[in-house]
Amino acid sequence: MSKSFHCFPLPRCYIRFIRKVNEKKGADGQDEIRKAFDFMLGYVGADMASGPVWMEYITFLKSLPAQTAQEESIRMTAIRKTYQKAIITPTHHVEQLWREYENFENSVSRQLAKGLVSEYQPKYNSARAVYREQKKYVDEIDYNMLAVPPTGSFKEEQQWMAWKRFLTFEKGNPQRIDSVSSNKRIIFTYEQCLMYLYHYQDVWYDYATWHAKSGSIDSAIKVFQRALKALPDSDTLKYAYAELEESRGAIQPARKIYESLLGDGVNATALAHIQFIRFLRRNEGVEAARKYFLDARKSPDCSYHVYVAYALIAFCLDKDSKIAHNIFEAGLKRFMHEPVYILEYADFLSRLNDERNIRALFERALSSLPPEESVEVWKRYIQFEQTYGDLASMLKVEQRRKEALSRTGEDGASALESSLQDVVSRYSFMDLWPCSSKDLDHLARQEWLAKNINKKAEKSAVSNGPATLDKIPAGLASNSNVSGKVIYPDTSQTVIYDPRQKLEAGIPPSTTASGFKAASNPLSNPIGLAPNVFDEVLKATPPALISFLANLPVVEGPAPNVDIVLSICLQSDVPVGKTGKSGTTQTPMLSGPATSDLSGSSRSRPVPSGSSFKTRDRQSGKRKDRDRQEEDETATVQSQPLPRDVFRIRQIQKSRAAATTSQTGSVSYGSALSGDLSGSTT
């Protein structure tokens, strides 16, 4: 961020002007220039950008003529003091000033320089460390910002926070210097801040209170006076200023501030009346406060707040309950329509334990208040009956409340019904409840749903599309705010997706080449092919493959587990058929239990009914041909159910393959997919 102020154009301009005016006046002119430098550095010498001004001052002092040894000594002393002030000030040029100071001391006396340099070395190190830390805060500040009233923009808030951080840093006295010097830097930082945050009342207040806490009340008063000139409409600053004056015993100045808040008395706010009554009661006594109240209540702008405030003052401070009761009664004639005033009056009567008048007050108020404004009064009435009344009066008031409030809403009938919330309300006390917090949340949710059930029904009917609008009463349909141009989805057809659910839609009815009806096939059109194209694909698909695909489960993801698929394949009853000479596909064979030993003898071999397969002649021991052997092998069935574990299946297959080498004759095994076993022995 650019920092025009940190370039010091105005102070340096001032110095150039003073030097030009006094440069030809000799010694007197030099004294004026020196005073101008001291004056300016007294105000801006603590700034980080004041390094060039310090250097210019030192250069000016070095240029002064010295005719005698005494003048030379005075000049050298002035230069040394200026250097020593500059090197302990955190500025951008602190390191350069330190080098120049070392050279200066060494040029005067090396022996003296050693002691002075070692003395100021820690102070310089502290100033340099503080400068590096301070620079982080200064870099966040925009010194080109204009002093305008706050608008709430993000940039203004950032600058306000940056100045707050910088002020907090300075108040912490990071350099650990003496309190006078530290306060001087804090004052300079506040003055700098107010150049940009001039219209921020909190900055003025912080500045004044810091002065007051530091023990400088007069400075705090001056800050408040400046603040009220900058922000003349700030009532908050006026109250803070009056509080400061009253706290130090200056009653008359404080009274003048309160009177400025009241103005001419016609347009005075209720708060101004109340605060002035309290001020008078604190400092001038009961009669002064009562006299002002009697005058203030005649004002047309006097609200019920003034009555409540003065009644409480009379009751709590003056200990006069009779006057307080009379004030509340006088206000009731004027503010019967104010529910808040009714509740304050009821609280006052509760303090008096005046049960009879409390009931009378509630009855009078509820008879005059409209139902929509009496909700809080009914609530307080029920609480009163729960404390002072019996069960019958408590239930009676609750029922009356329901009847009164049922006329204010559309859900009048449901409002008259008793609910569990009523029981919870009756039997709770302070933060103790007759149920758990979870139950409370559930009951609150149910209450909300009960109140909005009609609205939700109307909304769902509208969202279901135009067809459902005919079923809605005309009154509800006319009150809906749904635009005809907006098309809503039919959410009534929404189905929750479950990947474990199998597809149950049938194939379009058509006959495949195998004679199966497509409608009985559990496959569907998964990729959106045209119906005729999908039928052609099914016609060309073997029935065994269709049955296999139908047994596959729906699996999440594009890559199913291979072992699971193989396990399903090995356990599936895949129908096997053979095409005869006529070209028709044979019906699937039915498998049954069969036993077979590894020697090749077969005790039992069930065959399908109507089969065209022929059995081999066991006594001849000759094979007809290789094709006939394959037909016999496919005609066998599983000897026993195979295990589900894939690894176990593979182990059984390996053991069967190894057994063939030790058997006499020849043994052939069926397909591993079907698990069929066939054997012949020679």
Side-chain angles (χ1 to χ4, degrees):
M1 297 181 183
S2 59
K3 304 173 181 61
S4 61
F5 179 77
H6 274 196
C7 296
F8 272 73
L10 183 60
R12 300 187 73 177
C13 224
Y14 165 73
I15 291 296
R16 284 196 298 270
F17 170 75
I18 296 297
R19 295 184 68 172
K20 187 173 183 179
V21 171
N22 295 281
E23 63 183 0
K24 297 181 180 180
K25 294 183 180 180
D28 294 337
Q30 293 172 358
D31 290 339
E32 291 294 328
I33 295 173
R34 187 185 296 109
K35 290 178 182 178
F37 269 113
D38 292 336
F39 171 78
M40 187 190 64
L41 288 172
Y43 277 95
V44 299
D47 192 270
M48 290 181 64
S50 63
V53 182
W54 286 104
M55 297 171 70
E56 186 177 352
Y57 187 25
I58 294 170
T59 303
F60 167 74
L61 293 175
K62 289 180 179 179
S63 66
L64 293 177
Q67 303 296 333
T68 63
Q70 184 179 2
E71 292 179 353
E72 179 66 18
S73 176
I74 294 173
R75 185 175 69 89
M76 299 302 291
T77 302
I79 295 173
R80 180 177 289 110
K81 288 183 178 180
T82 305
Y83 265 125
Q84 290 172 354
K85 289 180 181 179
I87 61 177
I88 64 174
T89 304
T91 63
H92 298 302
H93 298 77
V94 64
E95 295 181 357
Q96 182 179 349
L97 286 166
W98 173 254
R99 290 192 296 268
E100 292 183 3
Y101 175 62
E102 285 184 315
N103 296 333
F104 168 75
E105 293 292 358
N106 288 323
S107 66
V108 175
S109 172
R110 288 186 176 273
Q111 185 176 1
L112 182 62
K114 186 176 181 181
L116 291 173
V117 169
S118 61
E119 178 185 354
Y120 277 88
Q121 179 80 43
K123 298 179 181 180
Y124 157 71
N125 291 335
S126 176
R128 184 177 61 177
V130 170
Y131 160 73
R132 293 175 179 174
E133 187 68 21
Q134 189 181 36
K135 190 174 184 297
K136 300 176 183 178
Y137 297 96
V138 173
D139 288 344
E140 296 179 353
I141 298 173
D142 182 9
Y143 287 91
N144 288 327
M145 178 180 174
L146 297 177
V148 297
T151 60
S153 66
F154 178 69
K155 181 180 179 182
E156 290 177 351
E157 292 177 351
Q158 277 189 321
Q159 290 303 299
W160 180 85
M161 293 174 62
W163 278 111
K164 286 285 186 179
R165 287 192 290 266
F166 188 25
L167 286 166
T168 303
F169 173 77
E170 288 292 352
K171 289 178 182 178
N173 191 10
Q175 203 171 345
R176 300 296 183 267
I177 56 179
D178 60 280
S179 59
V180 176
S181 301
S182 176
N183 290 344
K184 191 175 180 180
R185 286 192 183 179
I186 295 171
I187 291 172
F188 172 73
T189 306
Y190 266 116
E191 293 293 341
Q192 253 192 331
C193 176
L194 287 171
M195 293 178 64
Y196 306 97
L197 305 182
Y198 186 73
H199 297 278
Y200 286 69
Q201 57 183 353
D202 62 308
V203 179
W204 286 106
Y205 177 75
D206 290 345
Y207 190 18
T209 52
W210 176 81
H211 272 301
K213 291 178 181 178
S214 300
S216 181
I217 301 296
D218 294 336
S219 298
I221 291 173
K222 291 179 180 179
V223 171
F224 272 124
Q225 291 173 351
R226 290 172 56 194
L228 292 178
K229 290 180 180 179
L231 302 167
D233 297 330
S234 176
D235 291 348
T236 307
L237 289 177
K238 290 179 181 179
Y239 285 122
Y241 183 23
E243 182 181 86
L244 178 64
E245 292 284 14
E246 185 181 354
S247 64
R248 72 186 189 113
I251 304 302
Q252 290 304 317
R255 184 186 178 103
K256 290 181 179 179
I257 298 172
Y258 278 110
E259 289 174 350
S260 68
L261 286 164
L262 293 170
D264 55 3
V266 177
N267 297 322
T269 63
L271 183 61
H273 287 302
I274 293 170
Q275 297 303 332
F276 190 46
I277 291 173
R278 290 179 174 178
F279 170 79
L280 292 174
R281 175 61 182 79
R282 287 194 303 266
N283 298 282
E284 299 183 16
V286 177
E287 292 300 325
R290 181 178 301 174
K291 182 179 179 180
Y292 183 79
F293 168 72
L294 295 176
D295 293 336
R297 70 174 187 172
K298 299 176 183 178
S299 173
D301 296 329
C302 180
S303 65
Y304 67 88
H305 305 83
V306 180
Y307 282 80
V308 174
Y310 184 66
L312 294 179
I313 289 174
F315 178 65
C316 299
L317 299 180
D318 303 339
K319 312 301 181 183
D320 194 338
S321 59
K322 183 177 180 180
I323 293 179
H325 188 275
N326 293 336
I327 293 170
F328 271 116
E329 278 296 323
L332 190 62
K333 299 176 183 178
R334 185 174 176 181
F335 304 108
M336 179 65 79
H337 61 283
E338 294 288 348
V340 179
Y341 184 80
I342 303 299
L343 298 178
E344 291 292 338
Y345 191 8
D347 287 341
F348 166 72
L349 294 175
S350 297
R351 295 180 184 180
L352 298 179
N353 203 22
D354 193 349
E355 177 184 349
R356 183 175 59 84
N357 283 329
I358 294 175
R359 281 197 177 91
L361 172 65
F362 281 129
E363 294 296 339
R364 290 167 60 190
L366 292 172
S367 63
S368 61
L369 284 174
E372 59 272 8
E373 296 180 5
S374 63
V375 176
E376 291 299 323
V377 179
W378 277 112
K379 183 178 179 181
R380 187 68 61 86
Y381 195 7
I382 292 174
Q383 291 176 355
F384 165 76
E385 290 295 346
Q386 290 174 356
T387 304
Y388 291 90
D390 53 15
L391 181 60
S393 62
M394 181 169 55
L395 296 177
K396 181 179 179 181
V397 172
E398 284 189 2
Q399 186 62 28
R400 288 177 57 196
R401 172 184 175 272
K402 290 180 180 180
E403 293 175 356
L405 298 183
S406 64
R407 296 190 293 269
T408 62
E410 298 178 357
D411 53 345
S414 60
L416 293 174
E417 299 177 358
S418 299
S419 63
L420 192 60
Q421 287 90 339
D422 299 334
V423 179
V424 172
S425 177
R426 281 197 295 270
Y427 293 96
S428 61
F429 181 76
M430 296 178 66
D431 58 343
L432 303 177
W433 301 90
C435 58
S436 64
S437 58
K438 184 177 180 181
D439 293 335
L440 280 177
D441 295 339
H442 180 66
L443 291 174
R445 178 65 178 171
Q446 285 182 327
E447 184 178 7
W448 183 86
L449 291 173
K451 291 181 179 179
N452 295 272
I453 187 170
N454 295 332
K455 298 178 182 179
K456 295 179 73 68
E458 176 185 352
K459 182 178 179 181
S460 62
V462 173
S463 63
N464 283 338
T468 59
L469 289 176
D470 297 336
K471 303 177 182 179
I472 303 177
L476 291 178
S478 61
N479 291 332
S480 63
N481 296 324
V482 181
S483 173
K485 298 181 181 179
V486 179
I487 300 176
Y488 293 90
D490 186 3
T491 56
S492 63
Q493 303 298 327
T494 303
V495 178
I496 299 176
Y497 171 70
D498 186 359
R500 297 169 298 180
Q501 187 178 5
K502 288 187 177 182
L503 297 175
E504 298 180 357
I507 303 174
S510 62
T511 305
T512 62
S514 60
F516 291 116
K517 292 291 183 181
S520 63
N521 198 305
L523 293 179
S524 62
N525 190 348
I527 56 176
L529 296 175
N532 55 348
V533 177
F534 186 64
D535 290 344
E536 294 296 329
V537 172
L538 289 178
K539 292 178 182 179
T541 304
L545 180 57
I546 292 177
S547 178
F548 164 70
L549 294 175
N551 287 326
L552 291 178
V554 178
V555 183
E556 292 184 11
N561 192 315
V562 178
D563 290 335
I564 295 177
V565 175
L566 289 175
S567 177
I568 293 173
C569 293
L570 292 170
Q571 299 172 40
S572 299
D573 295 331
V574 180
V576 179
K578 179 176 177 61
T579 304
K581 294 180 181 180
S582 62
T584 60
T585 304
Q586 305 298 324
T587 57
M589 55 181 293
L590 300 176
S591 59
T595 57
S596 173
D597 55 14
L598 294 177
S599 63
S601 62
S602 178
R603 296 185 180 92
S604 173
R605 186 184 305 276
V607 294
S609 61
S611 173
S612 60
F613 298 127
K614 298 179 179 180
T615 59
R616 293 173 294 176
D617 188 4
R618 295 180 181 275
Q619 297 179 357
S620 65
K622 296 181 180 180
R623 300 178 185 173
K624 300 298 182 180
D625 51 24
R626 189 174 184 83
D627 293 337
R628 186 67 54 84
Q629 178 187 3
E630 292 178 356
E631 292 173 3
D632 289 336
E633 290 170 357
T634 57
T636 60
V637 296
Q638 297 177 350
S639 60
Q640 60 182 358
L642 291 178
R644 297 180 64 86
D645 185 73
V646 177
F647 178 78
R648 180 62 178 162
I649 293 172
R650 292 174 180 172
Q651 290 295 105
I652 293 175
Q653 292 174 357
K654 289 180 180 180
S655 63
R656 290 176 178 176
T660 57
T661 59
S662 61
Q663 302 297 327
T664 60
S666 63
V667 179
S668 61
Y669 293 91
S671 172
L673 291 175
S674 62
D676 294 338
L677 176 64
S678 63
S680 62
T681 305
T682 56

